[in-house]
Each structure stands twice: as C-alpha cells, then as structure tokens.
Amino acid sequence: MATTTQRKRVRREPMSKVDTAWLRMDRPTNPMMITGVLMFDEPMSIARLRKVVETRFLAYSRFAQKAVDGATGAVWQDDEHFDLDWHVRLSALPGAGARRGAAAEKRALERFASQMASTPLDKGRPLWQFHLVERYGGGSALIARIHHSYADGIALVQVLLSLTDTARDPGEDKALARAWLKRDGEEVARRVGAVERYTAIGGRMLGKGREMVQDPGLAGVLAREGGEIARELVQALALPDDPPSILRGSLGTSKRVAWAEPLDLGEVKAVSRACDCTVNDVLMAAAAGALRSYMLDRGEAVDGLSLRATVPVNLRPLEHAKKLGNHFGLVFLDLPVGEPNPVRRLEYVAECMNQLKNSQQAIVAYGLLAALGMAPQPLQALALEMFSRKASAVATNVPGPQQPLYLAGCRLSGMMFWVPQTGSIGIGLSILSYNHRVHFGMIADARLVPDPDAVVRRFRPEFEKLLYLALMGNWERTLDSVDAESLLASSANPDAS
C-alpha cells in the first residue's frame, strides 16, 4: 500500500572547480567570507527583512543549500533543516541604549562588523547570515556575511542589490537593473571565450609545482605549448615576494574593519578627466597615499617602496552575474607607497593599470584557481602560499547604482563590503560607488593594523591633494609636468611666490 507521505528528495549538485577552490581556502586566520555593511535612514523591522530575504534572496535556490566537501570533490546539497530565523538574526551593538554621538556609534558598528568578519560561518548550514541592528544612527544597519564559494564579490553585491527597489514601496520594479548594470561588451567576451583553454593549460602547469620557476628549460617548453597564457603564468609565478613591511607578518584570528566618509563621485571624475586617467586610477592612487602616510606615521621606511595588491577582474558580462559562481581572475597591481609626489603616484598607478589591461594575467589566475579546485590538498596549500606571498593586500572596486535604493521600505544611505584575503595576506581595501558617492573601506588583521580607521581617515586628504593639484595645474601644459610638491608647498604658504 502506498504511503501518504513521501520523503522530500534532497538535491545534490556538483560544485564548480573554482568554487571548490574558494571553499577549501578557508583558514582560521582568513575565513573566506564576503562581509558587507548596509546603513539605512529609517528603522527596519526584522519581520520585513525576513520577508524580503525569503522572497528574493532565497529565489536563488543555491542559498538554501550547504557545501559538502569530500575526497572526490564538493557538492551543493539541500539543507533539510533550513531555518530562516537562524540565518536572519536580530542583533544589538554593545552598550545598546546608551546615549552617544554619531562618531561613537559608528565605531561601535565597526567593532560589531569586525567581530562578524572574524567569526567563521557554521559549515553544517548554508554559509550565509544577515545580522540586523534595528537602531543605528536614527535608522538601522545590516551586516551581511556570505561565503566566497557561492559567488564572487561582483555577483554577490548584485544579489544584495536585487533585494532593493528604486522606490520606497516595493513592486514590479524593472528600473533597478537598468540603473546599475553596465556592459563590458567585446572586452569581457574576449576574456570569457578564452577561459576554458586557459584553464586546461593552467592545470597542466600547476602539476609542475615549483619546477616552473626553477627550470628555465621547462618554462620554455610550456611557453611554446601555451603561447601567451603560459608565458604570463610563468612570469606571474616568477614574481619576487612582496618586500617585508608592517603590512605583512604573522596573522591572527581577529579582523578589524573601518570605512571613511564618502567622496563626491563628480569630484573624482573631474580629477580623472584632468589627469587623463580612469576613476579607478585616482582612487587607487589615493589609497596608496593613505597607506604611505600611515606607514610613515608608524615609523616605517618607505622610500622607493612599492607594494602589490591583487585586484579581481570580472570575466563575464555583468548581466550574467546573478547566475552566481566565481568568474573572475586576479591581477597584481603595484601601489607606489614610496613615491612622495601624489601626481607621480597617480601616473605610476595609471601606467600599471594600462599594462594589466593588455595582459592575460586575470585569465591566468582563473585557470590556476580552476586547477586548484581539484588538486591534492598539499599542492593547493603550496600554490596558495606561493601566490599570497607576492602581494600585501587585496583591492576591489565595484561600481554600484547611482540613484537611491530602498530595502524593505527603508532608504539605503550607504554601504561597504570587503572580500576575504587569501593565504598570508592580511589587508583588504574596498571601494564602492553608490548614489554619486564613493565609499572607501579597509579590513585588516588586528596584529598588523589594529586600528584601520587610522588608514581610512587619510583617504580623503590624499584625494584632496589630487583634487587641489588638478584645479591648480597649469592648463597650458599637461598635469604630469606639474611640480606637485611646489604647488602643495605654496598652498600651505599663501605668501610664497
């Protein structure tokens, strides 16, 4: 006789090689979580938030699945005991109810976000959580934590934005996608079309381990076999380790986060036009200046010092980002913290970025990550350590929508997110534009930078140096010939000739 109840079938879906690599990169010193902070003008109720998460976030069935790793690979498996209340939680800042100013409240939120960024997710459940702080700054704040194995930062930021509306009253809102999606067109198509071939080459080369950088003959053979991609992988692996500095060292298990007051996006664009470079160049140059100032203040010798940051590069059209998964490569960007002249720092960053745009370095890294996903654990650890020693920071820049958004009927006033660091890297720099403002934030290992606010508060002054120099430049000649130090000196002394 047929039973009246049937056990629900548990779905199991294979995890991609790259997503598996990110799952296995988890370390006590570097949890592989993307952590975000969203701030709202009005108080938000936990009931309304849970309803939005249930109807929109869980529309992606992957977020009701947990990651199960095994000897033959990892899979996504339905969580039979899924509990929405566990994933969407009500939280309070330490000292809740105490009267304090805006600055003190921001520091309290930063401390709470730091605690969340340091706390690993429960591997027995789907690897994500939302923490609602009902009362913050006259409104509310939301901390989001999502494991990197679900998707890359580009995709997850867009997933979070899919929870929002362009009007206070939610409805059939079709304007959001048009408001923030930008197409890379042929450039992304060119990169995407080469990924599979480069992944295969990356796998063959990964199997050679350290031999690639020790045997010139082997490098030549691989270069002939793989052409440009093989040469670039050999070159990337042969990069020297980043130099010792206070930004590198033994990592602990505590993270610290901070974010700066936002910049006006129009002013940033004005500087980029005046200096004939991109907005990203301007912002990364300002970040390099902030690091330089911080390191000098801590007594570090920085003359001539250049540090590398790994920068994610999107490898798919943005309109496909909501398919989740990790589809990005990494490039090494030089940050000239040893250059005292802010204009020359900008020139240096712009030149480096131009060179990277014409390279295949991002696809090299993607191919290696795909190979790592199925490699034995000892080889994974070796390759991860080799690559992480070549940089001191991870740096990301994500363009968001340039109009106000609403989540659960509450206006989103600002947001920041941080991607995880890998291996021995302990510093993360994040830039996010939203509603015509640019938000800058930092996450750091507490042993290396116990107070990241000491870095982020230098970001605006460094940008304002570039803004001032752009305004004061001699427009009969290009800005790269302007003596920035003389201009800054004369601005400090109005009587100077």
Side-chain angles (χ1 to χ4, degrees):
M1 185 174 68
T3 179
T4 57
T5 60
Q6 291 183 335
R7 182 179 177 85
K8 182 181 178 181
R9 178 176 175 269
V10 176
R11 291 177 303 158
R12 291 169 61 90
E13 303 170 0
M15 187 180 295
S16 75
K17 294 178 181 179
V18 175
D19 295 347
T20 300
W22 286 107
L23 178 68
R24 293 175 174 174
M25 283 186 204
D26 257 322
R27 301 289 186 273
T29 52
N30 269 327
M32 289 294 105
M33 287 185 302
I34 295 172
T35 303
V37 178
L38 294 84
M39 291 155 280
F40 302 92
D41 289 336
E42 300 97 2
M44 179 184 296
S45 73
I46 189 71
R48 292 196 69 177
L49 174 61
R50 284 178 177 150
K51 182 177 180 181
V52 170
V53 172
E54 184 175 19
T55 57
R56 297 196 186 187
F57 190 74
L58 293 179
Y60 303 89
S61 59
R62 178 63 45 80
F63 291 121
Q65 296 179 313
K66 57 186 179 181
V68 179
D69 199 4
T72 59
V75 298
W76 295 109
Q77 178 178 304
D78 288 349
D79 181 6
E80 297 179 87
H81 307 289
F82 182 84
D83 182 1
L84 181 62
D85 291 348
W86 188 90
H87 288 278
V88 184
R89 306 169 71 95
L90 189 61
S91 302
L93 298 181
R99 298 183 65 180
R100 51 191 171 194
E105 197 166 26
K106 176 177 179 287
R107 286 194 296 271
L109 183 60
E110 288 175 337
R111 286 194 295 270
F112 179 65
S114 299
Q115 179 185 349
M116 292 298 96
S118 307
T119 306
L121 292 158
D122 184 349
K123 293 184 178 180
R125 301 174 184 265
L127 296 169
W128 61 270
Q129 263 189 330
F130 293 105
H131 303 262
L132 176 65
V133 179
E134 279 189 308
R135 293 178 177 84
Y136 173 75
S140 297
L142 181 65
I143 312 294
R145 303 191 299 148
I146 308 176
H147 199 278
H148 209 317
S149 58
Y150 283 97
D152 52 53
I154 288 281
L156 289 179
V157 166
Q158 296 178 20
V159 167
L160 291 177
L161 289 173
S162 75
L163 309 185
T164 68
D165 300 280
T166 55
R168 188 177 300 278
D169 296 323
E172 292 296 323
D173 188 352
K174 303 299 184 183
L176 180 60
R178 293 194 298 273
W180 61 270
L181 273 179
K182 298 180 180 179
R183 299 172 183 267
D184 280 332
E186 294 181 0
E187 177 60 22
V188 168
R190 179 183 65 82
R191 295 196 297 259
V192 172
V195 163
E196 289 188 6
R197 179 168 59 91
Y198 294 164
T199 297
I201 296 172
R204 291 199 298 274
M205 298 183 74
L206 178 63
K208 300 296 184 179
R210 288 187 181 272
E211 298 175 47
M212 285 183 287
V213 295
Q214 296 173 343
D215 184 349
L218 175 60
V221 171
L222 290 169
R224 288 193 297 273
E225 177 184 0
E228 182 180 3
I229 190 69
R231 288 193 297 273
E232 294 221 22
L233 184 49
V234 170
Q235 183 179 0
L237 289 172
L239 285 173
D241 293 348
D242 231 19
S245 76
I246 58 173
L247 302 184
R248 290 198 62 85
S250 177
L251 304 182
T253 57
S254 293
K255 301 291 182 184
R256 298 288 186 270
V257 307
W259 55 89
E261 290 301 312
L263 304 178
D264 181 89
L265 180 58
E267 292 183 350
V268 179
K269 289 182 176 180
V271 173
S272 73
R273 288 192 294 267
C275 299
D276 193 25
C277 63
T278 69
V279 165
N280 188 53
D281 296 338
V282 173
L283 297 172
M284 292 311 301
L291 289 174
R292 169 187 168 81
S293 176
Y294 172 76
M295 295 172 75
L296 286 171
D297 196 49
R298 286 188 55 182
E300 186 85 343
V302 300
D303 287 350
L305 182 65
S306 182
L307 302 177
R308 294 193 200 96
T310 58
V311 179
V313 175
N314 181 41
L315 293 177
R316 62 177 161 194
L318 286 182
E319 60 267 27
H320 295 166
K322 292 184 181 180
K323 296 181 180 179
L324 302 184
N326 287 274
H327 297 273
F328 71 98
L330 297 169
V331 296
F332 290 105
L333 173 66
D334 290 336
L335 298 176
V337 296
E339 172 55 63
N341 186 309
V343 173
R344 293 197 184 102
R345 272 201 304 272
L346 177 54
E347 291 174 344
Y348 190 101
V349 169
E351 176 60 27
C352 184
M353 289 299 290
N354 283 333
Q355 291 178 5
L356 291 173
K357 289 173 185 175
N358 295 322
S359 78
Q360 303 295 335
Q361 198 176 108
I363 309 176
V364 165
Y366 182 89
L368 186 62
L369 283 170
L372 277 176
M374 299 307 293
Q377 183 63 35
L379 185 53
Q380 288 184 24
L382 171 64
L384 182 61
E385 178 61 22
M386 286 177 63
F387 263 76
S388 64
R389 287 202 311 263
K390 300 178 188 303
S392 298
V394 176
T396 61
N397 184 358
V398 175
Q402 298 311 312
Q403 67 185 86
L405 302 177
Y406 298 83
L407 195 157
C410 299
R411 188 177 187 273
L412 178 62
S413 58
M415 55 183 162
M416 177 45 59
F417 79 100
W418 301 271
V419 299
Q421 299 77 63
T422 56
S424 59
I425 297 176
I427 305 294
L429 307 174
S430 294
I431 296 170
L432 176 69
S433 61
Y434 163 63
N435 196 21
H436 305 292
R437 300 195 299 175
V438 177
H439 300 260
F440 174 73
M442 181 177 185
I443 185 170
D445 185 275
R447 288 184 179 179
L448 301 180
V449 183
D451 181 16
D453 185 67
V455 178
V456 301
R457 67 172 175 253
R458 301 168 194 262
F459 183 69
R460 174 178 288 276
E462 290 299 326
F463 167 73
E464 287 178 345
K465 290 178 184 178
L466 291 169
L467 178 61
Y468 175 81
L469 293 168
L471 294 173
M472 294 297 292
N474 182 347
W475 298 109
E476 294 181 357
R477 51 189 178 139
T478 59
L479 190 59
D480 61 7
S481 65
V482 173
D483 186 341
E485 291 166 304
S486 297
L487 276 175
L488 289 173
S490 63
S491 70
N493 179 11
D495 296 326
S497 57

